[in-house]
Amino acid sequence: MKVYAGLAGIPVVKSSISYIDGEKGFLEYRGIPIQELVENSSYLETSYLLVFGKLPSKDKLSRFINDIKNNLYLDDSVLKFLKDIPSSTHPMKVLQSIIPVLSSKDPNTDVLDEKHHYSSLVNLLGQVPTIIASWKRIQEGKEPVEPDPELSYSGNFLYMMRGEKPDELEERIFDKCLILHAEHTINASTFTAIVVASTLADFYSAVSSAVGSLSGRLHGGANERVFYMLSAIKDIDDIPAIIDKKLKNKERIMGFGHRVYKTYDPRAKLIKQMLQEISSIKGDSKLLKVAMEFEKVATQRLKEKRIYPNIDFYSGVLYSLFGIPPAFYTPVFAMARISGWIAHCKEYIKENKLFRPTQIYDGGHNIHYIPPEKRG
Ligand code: ACO
């Protein structure tokens, strides 16, 4: 028997949700190239596509959006729970702990009944953005901003985060970012979600566990670290020495590398274009200049190993232009990934098989208990 470390290259499911060609740097959701969705779709329409398998009719989409908008508000008990959490708690931990509480509002969580999947989906898509934005305000010692259902999904989120309505450009670009983050085959957090769903735990438990998995710095948590790494650079001329020092110390460069992409991550390419668009209109960003120079030098050093920027390299730089604090970059990623996680859980439990891998035991046998006073 052989151990497949990190399950690299081992298929664990058959899935028709998304497809990556890691050699060509190509990504599709339900067969549609990501570039087409970013150009033409909205985050909620893309979520519908991911979860239900095809683009919705106009009526179905407007019903879906309405159902989500009816779920934007948090119960007083949830707000009170949020206010009682120690204010230094990282928003990813807050999200992970509060998502299961949202199931108390949902009487229908038996995952074996497909009808119940919808209420979990619209409840999570509606409330998670409100939780993230409310936590930001509570951490700042301010009252949460009530959702405004008149605004678009992305417009409302930015409004609740900042207390002022975003302009059309910010709203449009932010929504495109959510599309880019919505799904990405069987990565660590999606695998976590389907492992939990395979026990027939409800979607709230699966999503909350996936949030924990996403928070790690080798996965979604990288975007926050990229921001700290780039903003610590005082002078662009220092970049080669900074990168060389990291590589010499065998440090990972955050926002670079990917298990599947052995070329430029197409999502990073699209986010970089959006960044260039937004900074050409709103004025050049110093952080973007630093990021672009960093990318140039790090790529020179790492391309021999086929290591290029991933989505996390530029997403934090973009969110910083929206006034989103660094600790909230990964929560934004998590909020966008809800539809991908639920799509996979829904697909997996159709032909459910409890995940129960095996191990190769390499410990001892017949070792006898020694009382504490006799231990060396
Ligand atoms: N910086 C420097 N070296 C790297 C990096 C990096 N970011 N990534 C991989 N390498 C090197 C490793 O040191 C190793 O070198 P060696 O063969 O000389 O020992 C080689 O590349 C292979 O490394 P693995 O860990 O086997 O590659 P894996 O495919 O498992 O790594 C991972 C993928 C974990 C994402 C890695 O690239 C990494 O740590 N990146 C930084 C964190 C990050 O940006 N994560 C976000 C990923 S995207 C997402 O999750 C949304």
Side-chain angles (χ1 to χ4, degrees), residues 263-332:
T263 182
Y264 213 104
D265 179 338
R267 303 165 303 167
K269 211 180 267 177
L270 289 164
I271 293 201
K272 188 176 167 187
Q273 282 166 12
M274 292 176 203
L275 258 169
Q276 286 166 326
E277 181 188 348
I278 207 163
S279 60
S280 73
I281 294 167
K282 292 195 177 269
D284 260 356
S285 144
K286 182 184 167 235
L287 198 60
L288 175 59
K289 278 191 192 139
V290 171
M292 284 170 64
E293 182 61 20
F294 193 101
E295 180 203 324
K296 201 173 93 196
V297 179
T299 307
Q300 279 163 6
R301 306 290 197 270
L302 291 168
K303 69 171 180 248
E304 222 168 69
K305 289 190 181 174
R306 306 179 77 199
I307 295 172
Y308 295 90
N310 59 53
I311 189 169
D312 283 339
F313 188 71
Y314 282 111
S315 62
V317 181
L318 184 60
Y319 297 150
S320 72
L321 298 185
F322 292 132
I324 297 174
F328 288 81
Y329 300 165
T330 321
V332 168

Side-chain angles (χ1 to χ4, degrees), residues 70-100:
N70 286 336
N71 277 288
L72 292 174
Y73 291 86
L74 302 180
D75 280 355
D76 286 348
S77 56
V78 173
L79 267 176
K80 183 175 175 312
F81 183 78
L82 272 177
K83 287 177 180 173
D84 284 343
I85 294 175
S87 67
S88 59
T89 311
H90 191 282
M92 282 300 273
K93 305 236 179 284
V94 172
L95 207 52
Q96 193 183 348
S97 48
I98 206 161
I99 283 173

Side-chain angles (χ1 to χ4, degrees), residues 224-239:
E224 182 182 344
R225 263 85 177 184
V226 170
F227 177 84
Y228 297 133
M229 176 180 81
L230 296 177
S231 47
I233 297 172
K234 300 277 171 282
D235 190 331
I236 274 190
D237 294 339
D238 297 341
I239 290 175

Side-chain angles (χ1 to χ4, degrees), residues 252-264:
R252 295 285 163 119
I253 300 202
M254 292 289 115
F256 268 72
H258 199 274
R259 177 66 62 76
V260 184
Y261 291 119
K262 296 303 160 204
T263 182
Y264 213 104

Side-chain angles (χ1 to χ4, degrees), residues 198-247:
S198 82
T199 71
L200 302 185
D202 65 30
F203 287 174
Y204 296 90
S205 300
V207 168
S208 142
S209 308
V211 168
S213 176
L214 186 74
S215 68
R217 65 177 182 273
L218 293 185
H219 193 11
N223 60 5
E224 182 182 344
R225 263 85 177 184
V226 170
F227 177 84
Y228 297 133
M229 176 180 81
L230 296 177
S231 47
I233 297 172
K234 300 277 171 282
D235 190 331
I236 274 190
D237 294 339
D238 297 341
I239 290 175
I242 292 171
I243 292 175
D244 289 339
K245 188 169 166 210
K246 280 184 191 293
L247 294 177

